[in-house]
């Protein structure tokens, strides 16, 4: 796929078998981001001082049950229906490292967050359920993949399991509509700390308050 940009060193570390599914997620993210960049959505986010937005909405872009959001410099991948393959996540990380995703700016971490038990393992009727855990089509390990780490190999997260419950080193600050938020690591299968689809409401409130302030009507109804 167009997103499969791999260095020789990466190929030596983790060879990808030539399957159609290996670059599926990365290609979908690259294509979705390219469309959003062309439509001016990324520019609007930059103009509004917004660093949190949906990069790829799976149900509308060919991968139902998977979403990819950007919070600050973290790409946050959520899966509901089934696991993300190890090969898929590795290709996505490679696309980020190769700056192949248009318009989203700097990303230094990819965070895989399953939203249900279905996203942790293959159903027993799936042929992939009998494969080795080291196979590229086995479920990717949930956790935070630190792309800037010297130990990064795309296969093992830098933080996983109970390490995700500790805010130290994981919590970070990002902006939306010029307001700073702290990203709090979500509980297991839980929601992230800011619902991105409520931005229209937060934008309306922001404009309403600005209008009230310009009139000196600080005690009026919002």
């Amino acid at each position: 796929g167009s997103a499969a940009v791999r260095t020789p060193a990466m190929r030596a570390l983790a060879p990808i078998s030539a399957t159609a599914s290996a670059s599926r997620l990365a290609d979908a993210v690259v294509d979705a981001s390219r469309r959003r960049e062309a439509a001016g959505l990324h520019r609007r986010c930059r103009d509004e001082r917004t660093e949190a937005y949906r990069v790829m909405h799976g149900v509308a872009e060919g991968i139902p049950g998977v979403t990819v959001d950007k919070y600050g410099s973290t790409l946050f991948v959520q899966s509901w229906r089934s696991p993300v393959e190890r090969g898929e996540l590795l290709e996505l990380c490679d696309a980020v490292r190769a700056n192949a995703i248009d318009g989203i700016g700097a990303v230094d971490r990819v965070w895989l967050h399953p939203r249900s038990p279905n996203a942790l393992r293959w159903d027993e009727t799936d042929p992939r359920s009998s494969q080795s855990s080291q196979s590229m089509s086995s479920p990717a390990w949930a956790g935070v993949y630190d792309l800037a780490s010297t130990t990064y190999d795309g296969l093992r997260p830098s933080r996983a399991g109970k390490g995700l419950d500790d805010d130290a080193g994981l919590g970070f600050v990002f902006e939306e509509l010029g307001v700073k938020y702290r990203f709090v690591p979500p509980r297991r299968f839980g929601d992230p700390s800011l619902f991105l689809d409520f931005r229209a409401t937060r934008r309306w409130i922001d404009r309403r308050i600005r209008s009230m302030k310009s009139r000196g009507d600080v005690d009026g109804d919002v």
Side-chain angles (χ1 to χ4, degrees):
S2 59
V5 183
R6 306 181 57 75
T7 68
M10 289 177 185
R11 283 194 293 271
L13 278 171
I16 293 290
S17 58
T19 62
S21 65
S23 63
R24 182 184 67 143
L25 177 58
D27 286 347
V29 170
V30 168
D31 291 343
S33 191
R34 185 177 295 129
R35 287 192 293 271
R36 286 158 174 73
E37 178 73 5
L41 297 180
H42 292 151
R43 177 179 293 277
R44 181 180 185 181
C45 286
R46 291 191 292 270
D47 291 345
E48 291 186 328
R49 291 172 57 194
T50 290
E51 301 174 312
Y53 49 84
R54 179 137 296 172
V55 176
M56 193 277 295
H57 195 337
V59 71
E61 292 169 301
I63 308 184
V66 178
T67 62
V68 179
D69 300 322
K70 184 173 186 283
Y71 290 92
S73 61
T74 295
L75 214 57
F76 194 72
V77 182
Q78 301 180 83
S79 179
W80 281 261
R81 299 184 184 182
S82 61
V84 171
E85 292 183 3
R86 295 182 91 201
E88 284 186 297
L89 190 69
L90 180 57
E91 293 286 358
L92 176 61
C93 290
D94 282 356
V96 172
R97 285 160 63 91
N99 296 316
I101 306 176
D102 292 344
I104 67 170
V107 171
D108 55 27
R109 296 193 295 190
V110 173
W111 190 323
L112 177 61
H113 179 60
R115 292 299 304 274
S116 77
N118 293 335
L120 293 176
R121 61 188 63 85
W122 298 117
D123 182 271
E124 60 183 12
T125 62
D126 192 304
R128 289 170 291 187
S129 65
S130 61
Q131 294 187 6
S132 164
S133 62
Q134 302 303 313
S135 165
M136 284 297 119
S137 59
S138 66
W141 291 353
V144 177
Y145 293 74
D146 184 353
L147 306 184
S149 170
T150 56
T151 61
Y152 167 79
D153 64 4
L155 300 176
R156 291 173 290 274
S158 307
R159 298 282 288 273
K162 292 184 178 180
L164 298 177
D165 297 331
D166 183 3
D167 190 38
L170 285 181
F172 55 90
V173 175
F174 64 91
E175 278 191 307
E176 187 207 55
L177 302 175
V179 177
K180 293 184 183 298
Y181 294 87
R182 183 168 182 79
F183 187 92
V184 178
R187 60 181 175 79
R188 192 171 191 242
F189 305 141
D191 291 308
S193 55
L194 187 71
F195 292 98
L196 300 182
D197 49 356
F198 287 177
R199 178 175 299 126
T201 301
R202 292 189 289 270
R203 185 183 289 117
W204 181 88
I205 292 172
D206 178 68
R207 289 174 177 171
R208 180 70 171 170
I209 292 175
R210 289 175 185 274
S211 176
M212 289 166 53
K213 285 183 176 179
S214 69
R215 301 193 310 267
D217 187 20
V218 293
D219 296 323
D221 294 331
V222 175

